Amino acid sequence: MAAIRPDDEFAQFVARRSTALLRTAYLLCAGDRGAAEDLLQDVLERVYARRGRVRGDLEPYVRAAMANASANRWRARSRRVTEAPLELADDPGVGGHEGTVLDRDRIAKALGLLPARVRAVLVLRFFDDLSEADTAAALGVSPGTVKSQTARGVARLRELLVEPDLTRG
Amino acid sequence: MDTTELARAMRAATAEIRPDPAFVPAVLRGAWRRRLRRRIAITVALTAVVAATGTLTVTVLRVSAQDGQDNQGVAMVTDPVYVTPARGQLASDETFTEAATAAFSNQLPVPASSRLGQPHVYWAGATDAGKIAVVMQPVHQAGEAGWRGEGVVGVLTGSQPKLVVATRFTAADLVTGLMFLYGPGDKTALALSQSPTAPMVSPNWIVADDNRGRRYWDPMVDGDGAWWTRVPDPTAGLRVVAGDPNSTYQELRVVRAAKWPADPVQAPVTPEPDPTPPVALTFPGTDQAQLEGDIRSQLTDAGFLDPLARSFRVECVVDADLPTGLKVTAVEISGDSPDHNVYLAVRGDGGNNTWTYGNPVTPGSHLLVRARLPEDAGWLLAARNTHLRYRTDPDQPWQDAGDEVAWVPAAATQAELTTDNREPVVENIT
């Protein structure tokens, strides 16, 4: 049996964790599937070159790198083709299977209306289940900033996702 | 939507997301290709450096060997902040900048063996408090051969410059920034920040008569490379941020001269972690940390808490489902100030809570909660390990109200608290 080389370990990591990481990237990119794949691929390629300097698990490092890279990507968004219309107020959702799909879409798009850092905080805290301290460390901010951005982000999402009462005329 | 629902929604939104079969091979191909390109680039760069020595932006500094300390050899200081020409309206005043660097060298309480190279003037200018110079120098720990990116930055004031405050920093600190407070009463503020917009200063969290608060923000004055302003009597509530304080921002670290030189090279201020609440919290279906986060978030949104508060602690939570159908929760909160306050939430469907101010917690009082309920629905009273009675007038008889938590009529004026077999204590409700 051949010995496992570092490249093999990295390949196994990519194969094993790509699905979970792509889901994080999908939320960080506010539901833009293509952008999420670009983001994840770019980060993994960069991490490959630095993996020898990463202490501990690779996955938290990759998640932090994606969060930071997505914030930078969003800053440059105005120079790119617009990815999706975001008129949530005109998209209240409907029932049934189609409605479920639309509602899922609304969550991702609502995240896209938040500032990139706030969105990254919410994704790391509530999708990746990082603690406040780990989120702060990943994003290079203080735990207080994570708390305040979490509060603001959740409040803003509430406003964006208010469901109109469809039972009323 | 609460955070549990948010997490659930995020999971549902991504449940069907899976990479294409070609994704993993594409990543591996790209990674190996990128590594190859990087190796070629490094080889080319090294060749160019050898061919053009002297154009490199890396500064090579020799460790000072003053005071007979071991010479640690040569350390590479690669950060441009130490070689970028000084900014500020006095940057070209050589007499002043040379006096500032000399004073920095003589007055900095850092062993010479820990300093690398020479002091560098980062900024020199004039504010309404006089001439100011910001001088920095890379440092390392005694016994270390390499440099870990740390430096000491100090503020010098006056025509005969005097070092008034200094702190340890890394160049990364300057991205968000540092703010020094110095001068009489520490009322003069000088900030170093690479933010494209002026840092915003708020002296304190101001609480109005309705117990809601807000911060008032003022921009600092642009001094071409540094920012300055005056602050009224700095308190623990002082905050300075880069960015928009109402949306996205980062806090600058504040360094006060009043605490210097007792602790001349202060470590970065990191908020203390919130201690574990001393009481069992009672909202169903949420863990304790989640609950604290929810309450803090909701009270902040309602305007009762400072979003930039350093500390927050839920001291006690009281849930009460009243016979009228009203569901209320009272929480005792402590924060940056020594005062404790009780806030009241009328619980609605789907986590929609309406918050009002309850009462200040009076030191020495046994009655922890004495909050007037909305719509004149009476009072919510709570006191630990007590039996409660109330009356509407000193001439009226006491009415039994139960143990620990009680709902009493709006006309109640006094409560009687009995703990075990001790003498009852009477406290005014209003």
Side-chain angles (χ1 to χ4, degrees):
Chain A
M1 179 184 290
I4 294 178
R5 297 176 299 135
D7 283 3
D8 295 333
E9 288 181 353
F10 183 78
Q12 287 172 10
F13 169 79
V14 174
R16 203 172 56 248
R17 299 306 300 160
S18 280
T19 300
L21 292 169
L22 182 61
R23 290 173 179 176
T24 297
Y26 179 80
L27 293 171
L28 289 170
C29 293
D32 185 335
R33 169 68 186 259
E37 287 187 348
D38 288 348
L39 173 66
L40 177 58
Q41 179 164 355
D42 185 59
V43 166
L44 286 172
E45 289 180 10
R46 290 174 189 277
V47 167
Y48 173 76
R50 299 172 191 161
R51 67 195 189 287
R53 283 174 271 168
V54 178
R55 294 179 181 176
D57 288 347
L58 207 53
E59 186 161 342
Y61 184 86
V62 172
R63 290 187 189 281
M66 283 201 301
N68 285 294
S70 71
N72 294 335
R73 168 186 166 277
W74 228 254
R75 276 200 290 273
R77 191 178 62 162
S78 61
R79 295 195 295 272
R80 297 176 46 153
V81 176
T82 303
E83 291 153 357
L86 298 169
E87 287 79 18
L88 291 171
D90 297 329
D91 182 17
V94 295
H97 172 71
E98 185 185 358
T100 306
V101 174
L102 284 178
D103 288 346
R104 291 175 182 178
D105 204 30
R106 290 182 72 216
I107 292 285
K109 287 180 178 175
L111 286 168
L113 293 182
L114 303 179
R117 284 279 162 190
V118 174
R119 180 171 59 252
V121 165
L122 294 186
V123 172
L124 293 181
R125 284 282 286 119
F126 303 118
F127 184 71
D128 291 332
D129 286 328
L130 266 60
S131 67
E132 281 180 347
D134 289 344
T135 303
L139 296 174
V141 300
S142 71
T145 300
V146 169
K147 281 181 181 171
S148 62
Q149 293 191 338
T150 299
R152 274 205 313 280
V154 171
R156 180 71 179 129
L157 276 183
R158 277 197 199 107
E159 293 171 8
L160 292 169
L161 295 171
V162 166
E163 292 278 352
D165 187 347
L166 298 177
T167 62
R168 294 181 185 174
Chain B
M1 166 176 283
D2 62 22
T3 53
T4 306
E5 290 168 340
L6 173 60
R8 197 180 305 127
M10 286 180 175
R11 279 170 178 57
T14 58
E16 296 172 9
I17 301 294
R18 287 184 178 78
D20 294 332
F23 180 76
V24 174
V27 168
L28 298 176
R29 270 198 310 275
W32 292 325
R33 200 177 297 129
R34 190 178 292 223
R35 179 178 61 174
L36 180 64
R37 280 201 303 269
R38 188 163 173 269
R39 284 178 178 166
I40 293 170
I42 289 172
T43 306
V44 171
L46 285 175
T47 306
V49 168
V50 170
T53 306
T55 61
L56 192 58
T57 56
V58 171
T59 306
V60 180
L61 300 174
R62 183 168 293 280
V63 175
S64 169
Q66 296 174 32
D67 300 335
Q69 299 295 319
D70 290 341
N71 188 329
Q72 300 295 334
V74 173
M76 305 292 282
V77 175
T78 55
D79 203 292
V81 298
Y82 297 108
V83 293
T84 303
R87 294 179 65 183
Q89 65 190 101
L90 297 180
S92 58
D93 183 342
E94 290 185 6
T95 304
F96 177 61
T97 57
E98 286 174 7
T101 51
F104 182 87
S105 287
N106 294 333
Q107 297 169 23
L108 186 69
V110 172
S113 59
S114 294
R115 306 183 196 182
L116 289 164
Q118 299 298 318
H120 170 67
V121 177
Y122 178 83
W123 182 85
T127 70
D128 65 352
K131 289 184 173 181
I132 308 292
V134 175
V135 180
M136 53 182 57
Q137 185 169 12
V139 297
H140 67 172
Q141 299 296 322
E144 286 184 355
W147 182 62
R148 294 188 178 182
E150 283 190 318
V152 172
V153 55
V155 175
L156 300 103
T157 64
S159 297
Q160 304 290 321
K162 181 185 175 191
L163 185 63
V164 295
V165 61
T167 189
R168 194 178 287 268
F169 81 111
T170 67
D173 290 335
L174 297 184
V175 176
T176 302
L178 302 168
M179 186 173 83
F180 294 100
L181 293 175
Y182 59 91
D186 274 0
K187 292 182 180 178
T188 304
L190 183 78
L192 312 177
S193 173
Q194 292 171 4
S195 166
T197 56
M200 307 290 284
V201 176
S202 171
N204 217 336
W205 172 250
I206 307 295
V207 179
D209 290 341
D210 64 355
N211 292 291
R212 287 183 164 82
R214 65 168 299 178
R215 284 188 170 276
Y216 297 90
W217 295 93
D218 288 315
M220 299 185 77
V221 179
D222 187 355
D224 182 24
W227 313 82
W228 60 273
T229 191
R230 305 275 289 179
V231 295
D233 293 324
T235 67
L238 176 75
R239 299 288 185 271
V240 54
V241 301
D244 180 353
N246 296 311
S247 60
T248 304
Y249 58 84
Q250 285 193 304
E251 275 194 71
L252 278 70
R253 178 156 64 94
V254 176
V255 183
R256 294 189 61 166
K259 297 181 178 177
W260 191 84
D263 184 15
V265 281
Q266 302 157 12
V269 176
T270 51
E272 292 184 4
D274 294 335
T276 304
V279 294
L281 304 178
T282 53
F283 282 173
T286 53
D287 64 43
Q288 198 162 286
Q290 185 71 59
L291 175 61
E292 281 217 321
D294 284 350
I295 291 175
R296 182 173 192 166
S297 165
Q298 291 181 24
L299 283 171
T300 302
D301 290 347
F304 289 115
L305 296 185
D306 180 3
L308 292 166
R310 296 268 188 261
S311 62
F312 171 83
R313 182 178 165 96
V314 177
E315 302 285 354
C316 183
V317 176
V318 175
D319 277 342
D321 293 346
L322 306 185
T324 59
L326 198 65
K327 298 175 185 298
V328 296
T329 296
V331 294
E332 179 195 3
I333 303 295
S334 63
D336 288 349
S337 86
D339 302 327
H340 290 207
N341 290 285
V342 172
Y343 301 91
L344 203 65
V346 175
R347 302 200 303 274
D349 294 333
N352 254 339
N353 299 332
T354 304
W355 289 89
T356 56
Y357 184 75
N359 57 277
V361 178
T362 310
S365 169
H366 296 262
L367 206 51
L368 180 66
V369 177
R370 50 179 179 81
R372 187 190 292 276
L373 296 168
E375 299 174 1
D376 213 21
W379 295 85
L380 184 68
L381 307 180
R384 284 184 196 164
N385 303 320
T386 61
H387 182 76
L388 292 158
R389 297 198 301 172
Y390 74 94
R391 62 186 175 190
T392 54
D393 188 277
D395 296 332
Q396 296 296 314
W398 289 106
Q399 304 290 325
D400 195 66
D403 292 326
E404 292 200 317
V405 181
W407 172 50
V408 302
T413 56
Q414 288 185 315
E416 182 198 67
L417 298 81
T418 307
T419 305
D420 299 329
N421 296 319
R422 295 181 205 162
E423 193 70 18
V425 175
V426 175
E427 293 196 18
N428 290 328
I429 295 175
T430 55

